[in-house]
Amino acid sequence: MPYHPSPEAQSWIERLTARTASPDSKPSPQHVAIIMDGNGRWAGERGLPRIEGHRAGIQSVRSIAQACRKLNIPYLTLYAFSTENWKRPRSEVAALMKLLRDFLRDEIPEMLENGIRLRGLGNLSQLPLYVQYQLEKTRRATQAGRDMQLSLALSYGSRDEITRACAAIARKVKDGKLRTSEITPEVVSDHLYTTGMPDPDLLIRTSGEFRVSNYLLWQIAYAEVWITERLWPDFRDVHFYQAISDYLSRDRRYGAVRT
Ligand code: FPP
């Protein structure tokens, strides 16, 4: 569906664009990562089954991807399903997988039109085969997208990711392909699911929880964090613009002092 920003959203877009274009402005974020939380509560508050919260959450995914594209932010990474989420009731997991497959299938034209390429991050082989199939199909169909990468963290857990990276590096050392002295933070980064991507500049979490929930632990070392009470299905483009505006007003020092 084409993006028709509301007057309020349009006004945010103009202000943020003007702000980032000014020579003394801070650069806009290159990578925004989001923990989409609160779908279940949103449904509960309305007396609906939890899956209806996830369904409504897909509208927010669309809205945020469009907003991100509008601001020319090249990387958006969404926490769609964690390694821990497998412990949810089977019916909820099955419904989520189906929603995910439908999203991956139905959004291809929109992604192609907007220069968006899709990437899956996580232990993807744990996903049902029909989801793996659609994920790969969508990845291939959109791989030429040059304007934005939409990454979905699926069956993703950061500790699992770092553990796998350690094992892969250890194997290379054992096989004589890498010396221990050559293991640098860049080498570690190159063995994560996010290889080739810049680290997130901004981490957004909805539903007011102050946790990082095993998400991109290595990559968010210097990310700015923005938390909102709003539940994910209520989180739309204008709220995203608010987060970006707040990010632009922050002073990022990376542990150094201001000069
Ligand atoms: C957290 O809400 C959300 C999830 C575990 C799944 C996120 C999935 C979607 C937004 C829909 C599918 C996504 C895509 C990209 C197609 P919760 O269920 O933990 O909410 P609660 O904390 O209120 O129970």
Side-chain angles (χ1 to χ4, degrees):
M1 215 190 300
Y3 182 42
H4 297 298
S6 65
E8 188 190 357
Q10 187 57 38
S11 147
W12 271 112
I13 295 164
E14 283 163 21
R15 276 179 288 152
L16 290 170
T17 309
R19 217 162 132 193
T20 48
S22 103
D24 48 322
S25 154
K26 302 208 178 69
S28 71
Q30 293 300 291
H31 184 176
V32 178
I34 307 186
I35 302 177
M36 311 183 283
D37 195 14
N39 295 352
R41 272 162 284 171
W42 185 93
E45 283 172 5
R46 287 159 180 78
L48 296 169
R50 291 176 57 81
I51 192 64
E52 292 307 321
H54 299 313
R55 202 186 303 282
I58 290 184
Q59 294 303 332
S60 302
V61 169
R62 288 201 187 97
S63 178
I64 302 316
Q66 289 167 329
C68 207
R69 182 68 198 84
K70 200 78 190 166
L71 295 184
N72 288 316
I73 295 171
Y75 291 89
L76 173 65
T77 301
L78 305 176
Y79 206 0
F81 196 87
S82 72
T83 42
E84 290 71 29
N85 287 155
W86 292 114
K87 295 182 208 140
R88 292 189 174 205
R90 269 169 66 159
S91 56
E92 184 176 342
V93 171
L96 258 172
M97 290 298 143
K98 201 171 158 302
L99 275 183
L100 179 64
R101 189 270 316 269
D102 293 353
F103 172 85
L104 291 167
R105 184 192 57 208
D106 299 344
E107 295 303 310
I108 294 176
E110 178 80 8
M111 289 192 237
L112 290 177
E113 199 161 310
N114 289 289
I116 299 175
R117 64 184 180 279
L118 184 110
R119 177 162 161 181
L121 308 173
N123 190 357
L124 305 178
S125 62
Q126 283 188 331
L127 297 169
L129 284 177
Y130 74 92
V131 176
Q132 289 186 45
Y133 170 80
Q134 187 60 55
L135 188 62
E136 183 55 14
K137 203 167 167 190
T138 306
R139 189 192 67 75
R140 282 178 190 228
T142 62
Q143 64 187 347
R146 287 286 160 268
D147 297 318
M148 184 180 128
Q149 179 173 304
L150 171 62
S151 308
L152 299 183
L154 292 167
S155 193
Y156 175 89
S158 204
R159 286 187 167 185
D160 170 62
E161 176 185 38
I162 293 169
T163 307
R164 283 160 182 272
C166 291
I169 293 168
R171 270 195 304 275
K172 286 191 182 165
V173 172
K174 182 169 162 277
D175 295 346
K177 293 182 181 145
L178 189 71
R179 292 196 193 115
T180 310
S181 59
E182 290 169 338
I183 303 173
T184 60
E186 289 71 32
V187 169
V188 176
S189 291
D190 281 347
H191 288 79
L192 300 175
Y193 294 128
T194 49
T195 178
M197 295 166 58
D199 286 340
D201 299 300
L202 174 63
L203 172 69
I204 296 175
R205 180 166 190 148
T206 58
S207 95
E209 309 284 357
F210 288 75
R211 289 192 285 272
V212 288
S213 301
N214 202 14
Y215 190 43
L216 304 173
L217 299 181
W218 172 276
Q219 298 89 333
I220 60 169
Y222 286 102
E224 295 293 323
V225 180
W226 194 83
I227 294 171
T228 173
E229 289 286 327
R230 206 170 282 277
L231 305 176
W232 177 252
D234 289 328
F235 188 78
R236 294 297 160 97
D237 52 358
V238 284
H239 313 113
F240 181 79
Y241 295 136
Q242 238 171 306
I244 301 297
S245 172
D246 191 55
Y247 168 87
L248 291 173
S249 64
R250 304 230 187 138
D251 186 21
R252 299 184 80 193
R253 294 193 297 274
Y254 301 94
V257 290
R258 207 153 153 203
T259 48

